[in-house]
Amino acid sequence: MDPATLVAIAVLMGLAAALYTSVGHAGASAYLAIMALFAVAPETMRPTALVLNIIVASLATFRFARAGQINWRLLLLCVAGAVPAAFVAGGATIPGHLYRPLVGVVLWIAAVRMFWPRRIAGAGQPRTPSPLLAVLAGAGVGALSGLTGTGGGIFLSPIILFAGWEGVRRTSGTAAGFILCVSAAGLAGNLGSVGRLPAELPWFALAVVLGALVGTRLGVSRLPAGRLLQALGAVLLIAGAKLIFT
């Protein structure tokens, strides 16, 4: 990879990490889109995105946890349903040319709601979901994660907010922990792909860590809840576009 391409990819990944981590996401969909834009080999893209996801989600989880912005009960229940569902769904065969655009449109609808002036349930007093409902929600998100090759935060965050299970900032922290678990499970399920990691990975990792340091600082304490919802809306628009147009 020539130096100019390396710098361009690293800068774009750092910017993506800053935006995504401000709402508790790790940015796998953005990293995949950036690598596709620069014609990185497909067999290299997925493991690279997963490793970067794990690095970024680990940092985001740590910083949100330190600030007390994670609902651990909700996280554990969602992960309990998500990991086995993601494993099973990862091996399913559904026509991508039909399924991915449909999911992308759903994300766009959720994004529009994030910009809507009416109050979102998650912006009020949280209400605790039943354990069964949280596990089922996690299973549904895990299945979507396995089918679409994402960390799942783009699906989990809107569900938590629209159901009113948690406030905006703690939703971001809970999503970060969820993405870390699902991404680690995804990589563990395909350890053979690690051998295809690029030599430039340390530079990409440095870029996303720097971006994540900025993004998590904004998400943990700087951005007001309304701005966080708008940032989440922007992330959903980007993720939806990737699913629809790739």
Side-chain angles (χ1 to χ4, degrees), residues 24-25 41 59 66 83 100 111 134 139 141 160 217 221 233 237:
H25 295 189
L59 177 59
R66 206 167 109 178
V83 170
R100 294 173 70 85
V141 171
I160 294 176
R217 182 171 177 80
S221 60
L237 285 174

Side-chain angles (χ1 to χ4, degrees), residues 142-235:
L144 286 171
S145 300
L147 289 168
T148 58
T150 63
I154 54 176
F155 305 116
L156 184 66
S157 294
I159 290 175
I160 294 176
L161 287 170
F162 294 158
W165 292 346
E166 197 42 274
V168 177
R169 216 172 294 278
R170 281 169 66 88
T171 292
S172 296
T174 304
F178 182 89
I179 293 167
L180 173 58
C181 295
V182 173
S183 297
L187 189 62
N190 193 14
L191 282 176
S193 67
V194 173
R196 302 188 184 96
L197 291 172
E200 298 82 4
L201 180 64
W203 295 106
F204 299 158
L206 176 61
V208 298
V209 166
L210 292 175
L213 288 171
V214 175
T216 51
R217 182 171 177 80
L218 293 173
V220 166
S221 60
R222 297 289 180 176
L223 287 178
R227 294 301 181 193
L228 278 177
L229 287 176
Q230 291 172 2
L232 178 57
V235 167

Side-chain angles (χ1 to χ4, degrees), residues 16-26 31 56 60 64 172 211-216 219:
L19 172 61
Y20 275 67
T21 54
S22 69
V23 294
H25 295 189
Y31 308 145
V56 171
F64 277 100
S172 296
L213 288 171
V214 175
T216 51

Side-chain angles (χ1 to χ4, degrees), residues 57-153:
S58 297
L59 177 59
T61 302
F62 171 76
R63 296 193 78 171
F64 277 100
R66 206 167 109 178
Q69 299 292 359
I70 294 180
N71 184 327
W72 292 105
R73 175 182 180 274
L74 180 58
L75 171 60
L76 292 174
L77 290 172
C78 289
V79 167
V83 170
F87 178 80
V88 173
T93 54
I94 296 178
H97 67 284
L98 295 176
Y99 180 76
R100 294 173 70 85
L102 177 61
V103 176
V105 170
V106 172
L107 291 180
W108 275 3
I109 293 172
V112 170
R113 183 64 185 89
M114 294 298 169
F115 293 103
W116 203 260
R118 292 183 58 189
R119 188 176 184 82
I120 289 176
Q125 184 65 32
R127 52 178 179 270
T128 303
S130 71
L132 177 60
L133 192 57
V135 170
L136 289 175
V141 171
L144 286 171
S145 300
L147 289 168
T148 58
T150 63

